[in-house]
Amino acid sequence: MKVRIFESSQEATHEAAALFIEQIQRKPDCVLGLATGSTPIKLYKELILAYKEGTISFKRVKTFNLDEYVGLDRLHTQSYYRFMCEQLFDHVDIDKRNCHVPNGQAKNIEREVMQYEAAIEAAGGIDMQLLGIGGNGHIGFNEPGCNLDCGTHLESLTRQTIQDNARLFFNGNEAQVPRQALTMGVGTILRARRCVLLAFGKSKQVAVQGMIEGPITKNNPASVLQRHPDTVVLLDTLAAEKLKKKG
Ligand code: PGA
């Protein structure tokens, strides 16, 4: 795990954008794993800018998102599919047939999660996976206590995640946050060839310290990234504050 600490979230985001731009330039038909939430929004803006300047094209890029709420129509204002369209897909030359987000409305969840894993494999696996981290250490929606080997599956959201998501989205209304989601598993994430994790701000301090300096434990699912051969963690100074070793 390579850890880099930046003065500001803008600088860390700029570095993440440089990694994704370089990945797309090096392999124009690469497979990207993408994330939602507040953290990657500015990164997507930088990628849109790079596309508009002619630095990169998404024409042959394939994407797989980490997760989706169960029960929301994909065009619901808070669905992760809609989030991705608004924050990235609608602003670049990507072919939407190449954009994959788990179907939270699938009638047969078992089949949906198996097909999602199969689609990732058929695409050749994920070249670069973008990750955020929850205040409780979750990656994707793999909540504390999850199985650290599993593939895409159905997960029940913890109270903290429901509160966090209501604060940032759903107009603050906790009752509207779905209680379950489909998520790539920790096993799926570990199979990505490279992971780039972004974490900013005070609310991530404890989770970040545990991920980097704690034991590998299902109580902090992100800690399993210590086992991944090529993970880059990009932090702002605030998120890094509780780290004992800062360089
Ligand atoms: P955030 O969420 O980017 O909105 O902080 C990250 C996550 O929960 O993985």
Side-chain angles (χ1 to χ4, degrees), residues 158-194:
T158 59
R159 181 140 189 86
Q160 182 178 348
T161 298
I162 291 165
Q163 283 168 348
D164 289 348
N165 289 3
R167 206 175 47 248
L168 295 164
F169 303 97
F170 291 94
N171 300 317
N173 187 344
E174 248 181 66
Q176 281 182 10
V177 182
R179 272 31 187 178
Q180 290 184 309
L182 297 185
T183 181
M184 281 186 198
V186 174
T188 324
I189 293 167
L190 287 178
R191 282 191 286 280
R193 284 184 268 284
R194 189 167 213 209

Side-chain angles (χ1 to χ4, degrees), residues 105-117:
Q105 284 203 310
K107 292 227 162 32
N108 187 336
I109 296 281
E110 196 89 329
R111 194 165 65 202
E112 172 63 19
V113 297
M114 274 168 57
Q115 283 175 346
Y116 203 67
E117 283 291 320

Side-chain angles (χ1 to χ4, degrees), residues 65-76:
N65 263 79
L66 283 166
D67 41 26
E68 178 62 282
Y69 292 115
V70 165
L72 292 195
D73 184 90
R74 67 189 331 217
L75 295 179
H76 185 282

Side-chain angles (χ1 to χ4, degrees), residues 129 131-133 139 195-199 211 222 225 231-234:
Q129 175 69 55
L131 295 168
I133 182 172
I139 43 174
C195 292
V196 178
L197 186 144
L198 296 176
M211 164 177 72
L225 291 166
T231 285
V232 185
V233 177
L234 305 172

Side-chain angles (χ1 to χ4, degrees), residues 36-40 132-134 138 140 168-169 204:
T36 52
S38 52
T39 307
I133 182 172
H138 74 207
L168 295 164
F169 303 97
K204 306 295 170 73

Side-chain angles (χ1 to χ4, degrees), residues 86-161:
E86 288 175 354
Q87 301 299 330
L88 180 66
F89 300 155
D90 285 349
H91 308 283
V92 296
D93 61 345
I94 200 159
D95 182 340
K96 289 251 180 81
R97 285 169 303 185
N98 288 333
C99 300
H100 306 271
V101 179
N103 176 8
Q105 284 203 310
K107 292 227 162 32
N108 187 336
I109 296 281
E110 196 89 329
R111 194 165 65 202
E112 172 63 19
V113 297
M114 274 168 57
Q115 283 175 346
Y116 203 67
E117 283 291 320
I120 294 172
E121 215 176 296
I126 292 169
D127 291 299
M128 187 173 277
Q129 175 69 55
L130 176 64
L131 295 168
I133 182 172
N136 63 3
H138 74 207
I139 43 174
F141 270 132
N142 294 281
E143 299 281 36
C146 68
N147 172 344
L148 294 183
D149 297 315
C150 70
T152 303
H153 65 284
L154 178 71
E155 183 89 20
S156 295
L157 308 186
T158 59
R159 181 140 189 86
Q160 182 178 348
T161 298

